[in-house]
Amino acid sequence: MSSEDGETKRDRVRRLLIGPLQAAGFRFKKGTDAAKAKAELDRIADALAYMSDADLETMAELMLTKGEGAQRCFWPAFATFAFWADHVNPRPLEEHPRLLSWFRSRAGERALQNGALVAEYVYWKQHKAPPVKPQAIRLVEDKAREYNGKAELIRDRQRRNFQIPPEDLDWLSRFDRAAERLSRIVAEGIEDREGEQAA
């Protein structure tokens, strides 16, 4: 996709992240195939296209210290970029096809019914995989009870006009936003399944 001025998402990442790192001296090892080098930089640009301009500028500063080789001037591996990008600004839920597929499936519907949507999402973010083993399921169930209890406690204090610490209000806002986004995704999956049955 391109912006109105003709700059593609890939171009934007090249301008704000890859270009500055190249200007600072990042290069591939001698003998690296030019097509392979371009493909690796394109892969990085495509993976980080979700980030804002400010995020990409932060990444450019951060990655300056992550160069490889004795002189620290060789391009870091794709995995290094992905790791640090996740710390600067985790990839939005909508950018994870496997995660989306999980929450659109009956597993997402079960999580909604059990009040565990946010807890499962947090598990996904931490482990990059769904909670399928018994230990993981128990961990999610415990977290769901903890999150739901905390949310209810804060809401109860709001109803009774108690003074609530700003960090608790911020937590509740993030919890509610995540729950709302996940509920929409689950609803899309339910609609898709109902549509398939009706067809």
Side-chain angles (χ1 to χ4, degrees):
M1 292 187 64
S2 303
S3 62
E4 288 181 9
D5 61 3
E7 183 180 52
T8 64
K9 290 181 178 182
R10 185 183 284 179
D11 290 340
R12 187 177 64 88
V13 180
R14 283 187 170 277
R15 174 171 56 84
L16 295 168
L17 173 63
I18 294 171
L21 291 175
Q22 286 173 323
F26 270 34
R27 59 189 172 85
F28 286 96
K29 292 175 184 174
K30 190 173 181 180
T32 301
D33 178 71
K36 184 178 177 183
K38 181 183 181 305
E40 183 67 5
L41 294 180
D42 286 348
R43 183 181 178 209
I44 292 166
D46 291 344
L48 273 56
Y50 73 90
M51 300 185 97
S52 70
D53 288 4
D55 292 337
L56 291 169
E57 289 166 356
T58 299
M59 281 291 294
E61 291 177 25
L62 188 153
M63 296 306 293
L64 274 175
T65 63
K66 310 297 180 225
E68 296 179 355
Q71 296 180 353
R72 315 287 288 175
C73 63
F74 294 135
W75 283 102
F78 173 83
T80 305
F81 276 92
F83 174 83
W84 288 107
D86 197 53
H87 281 271
V88 171
N89 182 359
R91 184 180 292 274
L93 189 133
E94 292 79 9
E95 297 273 340
H96 288 279
R98 284 181 60 229
L99 187 148
L100 277 176
S101 176
W102 172 267
F103 281 105
R104 283 188 176 131
S105 74
R106 294 195 186 281
E109 195 172 347
R110 278 193 302 275
L112 176 65
Q113 291 166 352
N114 296 336
L117 276 179
V118 176
E120 279 200 15
Y121 174 57
V122 170
Y123 184 93
W124 262 97
K125 281 175 62 179
Q126 290 174 343
H127 300 277
K128 312 300 182 196
V132 291
K133 294 183 178 176
Q135 183 180 354
I137 293 168
R138 283 194 301 274
L139 183 68
V140 167
E141 289 171 349
D142 291 344
K143 275 292 173 189
R145 280 192 291 274
E146 177 189 330
Y147 293 159
N148 293 331
K150 182 174 180 178
E152 184 50 42
L153 180 64
I154 296 170
R155 289 192 182 101
D156 181 59
R157 288 176 175 167
Q158 283 178 317
R159 284 191 294 269
R160 297 192 288 163
N161 295 318
F162 281 19
Q163 185 76 26
I164 302 167
E167 58 270 21
D168 284 352
L169 291 172
D170 179 58
W171 181 90
L172 182 62
S173 175
R174 286 183 285 114
F175 175 84
D176 285 343
R177 281 198 310 273
E180 183 182 344
R181 286 166 63 209
L182 291 161
S183 295
R184 279 200 307 268
I185 290 165
V186 171
E188 289 169 6
I190 293 170
E191 286 175 20
D192 288 346
R193 285 192 295 281
E194 289 174 350
E196 288 169 7
Q197 288 174 353

